[in-house]
Amino acid sequence: DVKVTQSSRYLVKRTGEKVFLECVQDMDHENMFWYRQDPGLGLRLIYFSYDVKMKEKGDIPEGYSVSREKKERFSLILESASTNQTSMYLCASSFGGYNQPQHFGDGTRLSIL
Amino acid sequence: DQQVKQNSPSLSVQEGRISILNCDYTNSMFDYFLWYKKYPAEGPTFLISISSIKDKNEDGRFTVFLNKSAKHLSLHIVPSQPGDSAVYFCAASAMGGSQGNLIFGKGTKLSVKP
């Protein structure tokens, strides 16, 4: 079974802090993704990566950056956390190509106070 | 502009009956479609997919139907069980789009009553 592990289930940070969310997958997947899920808005793509050190912006990249130094690990960085970044963050991974299902971690519920 | 739409935010069904979840899309370039199930406090779980060269795909109690001319897909769950109660997301991707990107609908919350 595919295993996508997010480092924290719940996280509370303060406004202005730099926040790191970590994601690790164990299936040698080429693609990795970061989404946020908000009530009534569904899943929105923040950033994705299709190879080590490669990244592309998704639909809502403002205020975020990412890092992929190793194939199995994809980090989401909130450069200066703000209250409107309080959300559920979901990491996913998939094999390369467009017709591959993405497999998700259990999410990190992030609260910015 | 929503490219993938799930117009019913919620659906309630009696145990043992059929659940039908609907999804419409606007982008004619989409050619791969998926359904995910999500329980509270968990990540979405991949359920079933269909390529645009097919109009039906079955996996146990789950069947996905694709009507390309209507740009419509549906997920049928037969028979429905209380454990099927969850939020269901449909998603789509296009061969010409960014690698592996999925466009998600906003979800439909299914409640299956015993």
Side-chain angles (χ1 to χ4, degrees):
Chain A
D1 269 0
V2 177
K3 186 72 175 171
V4 178
T5 303
Q6 295 184 230
S7 53
S8 305
R9 293 299 302 272
Y10 301 94
L11 209 52
V12 180
K13 296 291 182 180
R14 297 207 172 272
T15 303
E17 279 192 71
K18 191 169 186 176
V19 181
F20 293 85
L21 303 183
E22 306 287 344
C23 176
V24 177
Q25 50 95 3
D26 67 355
M27 281 301 292
D28 204 34
H29 283 164
E30 288 82 10
N31 296 342
M32 295 190 75
F33 307 83
W34 276 107
Y35 294 87
R36 62 179 282 178
Q37 183 192 7
D38 300 288
L41 296 178
L43 276 71
R44 294 182 292 167
L45 182 65
I46 304 171
Y47 267 97
F48 68 100
S49 167
Y50 54 87
D51 201 352
V52 175
K53 296 192 186 295
M54 304 301 289
K55 62 184 179 184
E56 285 201 27
K57 294 179 180 179
D59 299 319
I60 50 165
E62 296 79 18
Y64 303 94
S65 63
V66 290
S67 172
R68 193 164 180 204
E69 296 296 318
K70 294 185 178 181
K71 189 174 186 179
E72 67 271 18
R73 187 179 296 270
F74 193 34
S75 303
L76 179 70
I77 304 152
L78 285 65
E79 297 291 344
S80 177
S82 64
T83 54
N84 63 10
Q85 292 177 309
T86 291
S87 187
M88 168 70 87
Y89 289 88
L90 291 159
C91 174
S93 70
S94 73
F95 286 115
Y98 80 103
N99 60 347
Q100 298 293 327
Q102 293 178 18
H103 300 271
F104 285 81
D106 281 337
T108 296
R109 172 72 66 186
L110 176 64
S111 298
I112 307 296
L113 304 179
Chain B
D1 181 31
Q2 264 188 279
Q3 297 186 66
V4 178
K5 298 179 187 178
Q6 295 178 256
N7 291 318
S8 299
S10 62
L11 176 68
S12 184
V13 169
Q14 205 67 32
E15 181 179 6
R17 307 294 291 268
I18 184 172
S19 295
I20 300 177
L21 298 118
N22 293 303
C23 182
D24 297 297
Y25 61 95
T26 58
N27 188 341
S28 57
M29 299 301 294
F30 287 149
D31 55 6
Y32 180 63
F33 304 89
L34 308 89
W35 284 94
Y36 284 83
K37 176 170 74 173
K38 186 181 184 302
Y39 294 119
E42 292 184 15
T45 302
F46 169 66
L47 265 180
I48 191 169
S49 63
I50 188 167
S51 162
S52 62
I53 62 172
K54 292 185 167 184
D55 53 19
K56 177 182 173 182
N57 189 26
E58 275 183 86
D59 185 0
R61 296 186 297 114
F62 301 91
T63 302
V64 55
F65 294 92
L66 176 62
N67 182 334
K68 289 186 290 293
S69 61
K71 294 192 180 69
H72 177 83
L73 67 155
S74 60
L75 176 68
H76 292 210
I77 306 173
V78 185
S80 301
Q81 299 172 355
D84 295 329
S85 297
V87 177
Y88 289 78
F89 293 96
C90 68
S93 69
M95 187 166 66
S98 296
Q99 284 204 41
N101 269 15
L102 295 178
I103 308 299
F104 284 86
K106 293 185 179 181
T108 297
K109 184 175 183 179
L110 173 65
S111 299
V112 180
K113 300 189 183 308

